[in-house]
Amino acid sequence: MGSGNVLEETYQKWLLYKEACVQMMKNDPRSQGLFCNRTFDRYACWPDSPAGMLVNISCPLYLPWFDKVSQGVVQRRCGADGLWELDGNGHVWRDMTQCEEEKEVTSNELWFKEVLANFKVLYTVGYSLSLITLASALIVLLSFRKLRCTRNYIHANLFLSFILRAVSVMIKDSLLERHWGREINKQTDVSELLSHQAAIGCRIAQVVMQYCVLANHYWFFGEAIYLYSVLISSVLIDSSKYFPYICLGWGTPLLFLIPWVVMKILKENKECWAFNENMSYWWIIRFPIFLASVINFFIFVKIVKMIFSKLRASNQSGYPDYKIRLAKATLTLIPLFGVHEIIFLFATDDNTTGIIRYSKVFITLFLNSVQGFLVGVLYCYANNEVRAELKKVLCSWSIATGTLCCGQ
């Protein structure tokens, strides 16, 4: 369960515990003689207690780890003067060590938080690197007239989807951190933190991020269909037409995102929508990614087979390096089609635990964050047409500044 869900559930249980305590203080008859007054100290509910007694109360029911400390007690001492005893700082003394979470569990949680923090640094660096590479690559593709064709327009939209995905992920993380990182000093701070008004910003960021992720995958899909149409068959989308790819890449995600938003509002309208209690709602936006990834994988296999057959035929004519060229072509297609995601496609968050889940999170975050960098380099800066245009600009600049141009 996510930390947001734990906080909300704990707060609701605390409210019920507080209400039951208030009713007890109102309805129970007053004690006779010298005693310490009944009270609720925001942690436990204390009844009237005889002077000079050590008072034991069961650990509060609202604690998230109550099952582990159900036999424990929290203690106060009622002084001989009928007042609750104070500690050295002038506060009412209270011993709640038996109700605290086990140190082993706490250390495991701290380790997990440290691992997540390292993951965040890792993919933030990866997304930043991808963002810089893709932004410059997008400018290059759109700046040269000779590079303006359907293929490069599709590349440019894929670059843009990567850029939007990277920006949306970083903004979403920033808003989540600011939302859950607020300091809580009083009860109203908790109710305000859990209010719909406080969460609206991070919910919008979550929706935008999910749209960008979907769009990114469907531009992968568009790249796969375009290459399939050019190399094998044009039965899917005419490779010379650009508008159908726009509809596929930017329009298709809305068909799945809107129902997901509606279900979140109606059924799971809690905190920042970052956690999924009912995984069937999550599959509304997970299934189209799953479907596109599977189709991309089959297209990838078919194209690799075609490349293999052509390279093997050319090898019979005296080209012994066809295996090397096949390997290069395959490795180039993997980031373009997002084929690496097929590895963890069936290892969803709800059926993986422990080291397998951590490994999946680590590898997925790392690959997703640097994928934009790889695509930008392979399909822009390593492209012969782009390099030729950049070389012309460099040579023109060299001539204009009076320096010699390489190759002249």
Side-chain angles (χ1 to χ4, degrees), residues 218-243:
Y218 272 83
W219 276 109
F220 283 144
F221 192 25
E223 289 276 7
I225 289 178
Y226 175 80
L227 201 55
Y228 182 87
S229 300
V230 170
L231 298 178
I232 299 175
S233 172
S234 60
V235 296
L236 295 174
I237 298 178
D238 188 345
S239 60
S240 63
K241 293 181 178 179
Y242 176 51
F243 183 71

Side-chain angles (χ1 to χ4, degrees), residues 128-142:
S128 300
L129 181 62
S130 295
L131 192 58
I132 295 170
T133 306
L134 289 164
S136 57
L138 186 61
I139 292 171
V140 168
L141 281 186
L142 299 179

Side-chain angles (χ1 to χ4, degrees), residues 119-120 123 127 360-370:
F119 283 173
K120 183 180 178 182
Y123 74 72
Y127 275 125
K360 179 219 171 191
V361 170
F362 174 81
I363 296 173
T364 302
L365 286 177
F366 176 74
L367 291 178
N368 285 344
S369 64
V370 301

Side-chain angles (χ1 to χ4, degrees), residues 71-90:
Q71 302 301 316
V73 294
V74 55
Q75 298 177 324
R76 268 191 179 193
R77 184 175 284 109
C78 182
D81 57 355
L83 298 175
W84 294 108
E85 286 193 2
L86 305 180
D87 59 19
N89 296 320

